[in-house]
Amino acid sequence: MSVSEAKRALSQYAIRVNRANKRLSPQLAALASTGSTLQMQTAKYKIFKANKLTISPYKYGSPLVASPKFTGHPKWFFAAMTDRGGNTPLRDIIVLVQDKPGGPWRSAYTPLTTAPATGPLARGVDVADFPEVAPQDDASLVLPPGGISGALADVLNLGSRSGHYRSLTLTPWIKTRYRNLREDKTVFKRNGWAGTASYSASTVPTYAVRTTSGGALVWSAIELKEAFRHTGRGNNITWNHDEWGDLLRPYIRVSTAKTSLTTIERLEVLAYVPPKGKGRVRFLANRWAPISIQGR
């Protein structure tokens, strides 16, 4: 796939995703996205419709594109696209997949970052225009690409007790999510709710491409599942997001769970995985959405 072909695919993708975002339409989103991204967009649309929110159009520019070498389908490539449609420039580092010849190019992952919004992906991280795909079981890396999501989930569950703790660079959002998991359990217990909460690797596909350093860029996902029942006296549960608003009402028709609550949150992550002996795994971008909420 040539760079010009990739740019044409990206232009068509931007048109389709903006059309879907304007209407908050899962049906239109399916023309632009697939897999994890489609699930997350569908959930976001549901919440935004219920809370009467809108999505600013993406205004993409300054793309960095790399197309891995393939001999058949499905094919995929990735692009780092600067979005200046909002108040703060963002960089979406997306994976676009084509399932069959002539089919649409649809986003399978769309993690984003705010720093930096332009320039290299990260310090010391570069990819050739036509790189090799990194094997899922690549033993030359600090962790194999297929094991990144499991390692991250284990660290979020166990902290320093995890066997992967020293393999990962602990970003502020990792530390916050580790702390929030424990706070969630405490809040539920204090209010008379019993149940479980833990992270696990998602079953959505992982994509990995070789970097010029011999490492790999890896797109994968983890999920936080919480399942609680109200077993004693105490407060009911609400769930409000600072930007998205009420998260319960779009799913369970009320803003307060009184007897049960089961949720699944997905976090897409982009990691740079260095060769063994060359440092720790670094997480460069992420995106979050609650993809399932049940309760009453």
Side-chain angles (χ1 to χ4, degrees):
M1 185 180 190
S2 68
V3 173
S4 61
E5 288 173 328
K7 289 183 176 180
R8 283 197 297 272
L10 288 169
S11 177
Q12 188 174 55
Y13 164 75
I15 292 171
R16 288 175 173 173
V17 75
N18 277 331
R19 186 180 296 133
N21 286 348
K22 182 178 181 179
R23 300 183 185 181
L24 300 178
S25 168
Q27 292 75 26
L28 291 177
L31 302 177
S33 303
T34 187
S36 176
T37 296
L38 181 57
Q39 286 183 298
M40 294 176 75
Q41 284 293 86
T42 298
K44 184 175 181 178
Y45 290 168
K46 188 180 187 74
I47 294 167
F48 273 42
K49 279 185 177 180
N51 291 328
K52 298 181 179 180
L53 301 174
T54 59
I55 300 175
S56 299
Y58 294 135
K59 296 181 180 179
Y60 284 130
S62 306
L64 299 177
V65 179
S67 179
K69 301 173 183 177
F70 290 102
T71 57
H73 283 77
K75 294 182 177 180
W76 62 272
F77 72 94
F78 84 88
M81 314 243 314
T82 300
D83 173 24
R84 300 189 182 278
N87 295 327
T88 301
L90 302 174
R91 176 178 259 182
D92 288 356
I93 309 178
I94 64 179
V95 171
L96 282 98
V97 179
Q98 185 186 53
D99 292 326
K100 60 183 180 180
W105 287 95
R106 299 182 295 173
S107 60
Y109 277 94
T110 54
L112 60 86
T113 181
T114 56
T118 59
L121 294 177
R123 177 178 51 83
V125 179
D126 194 12
V127 178
D129 289 343
F130 304 102
E132 299 286 345
V133 173
Q136 294 290 307
D137 59 353
D138 191 341
S140 70
L141 304 176
V142 172
L143 290 171
I148 295 299
S149 56
L152 176 58
D154 197 57
V155 169
L156 288 170
N157 288 330
L158 301 177
S160 59
R161 292 177 292 129
S162 169
H164 301 293
Y165 184 76
R166 297 189 181 278
S167 298
L168 310 183
T169 299
L170 302 183
T171 63
W173 64 261
I174 290 177
K175 296 177 182 178
T176 297
R177 287 191 168 276
Y178 172 79
R179 183 172 61 251
N180 288 348
L181 177 59
R182 278 132 197 87
E183 291 173 351
D184 280 359
K185 292 178 179 180
T186 299
V187 168
F188 275 102
K189 183 177 180 180
R190 185 172 59 236
N191 285 285
W193 294 68
T196 59
S198 64
Y199 283 93
S200 61
S202 176
T203 59
V204 297
T206 296
Y207 298 87
V209 65
R210 185 74 62 202
T211 63
T212 55
S213 67
L217 285 175
V218 180
W219 288 260
S220 62
I222 59 172
E223 292 174 357
L224 170 61
K225 182 175 181 179
E226 297 189 340
F228 287 93
R229 296 190 65 82
H230 206 171
T231 59
R233 293 183 177 181
N235 295 329
N236 300 324
I237 296 296
T238 60
W239 191 12
N240 290 281
H241 187 273
D242 290 343
E243 297 178 2
W244 293 9
D246 187 345
L247 299 183
L248 295 187
R249 184 168 53 87
Y251 283 90
I252 66 173
R253 299 183 180 181
V254 293
S255 298
T256 303
K258 298 180 179 180
T259 59
S260 65
L261 185 62
T262 299
T263 64
I264 302 176
E265 303 171 47
R266 179 173 296 152
L267 191 70
E268 292 183 351
V269 294
L270 169 62
Y272 167 64
V273 187
K276 285 182 178 178
K278 301 294 184 180
R280 301 184 181 190
V281 175
R282 286 187 276 155
F283 292 94
L284 309 181
N286 64 80
R287 188 185 292 267
W288 167 90
I291 60 172
S292 176
I293 299 174
Q294 297 177 325
R296 55 191 177 90

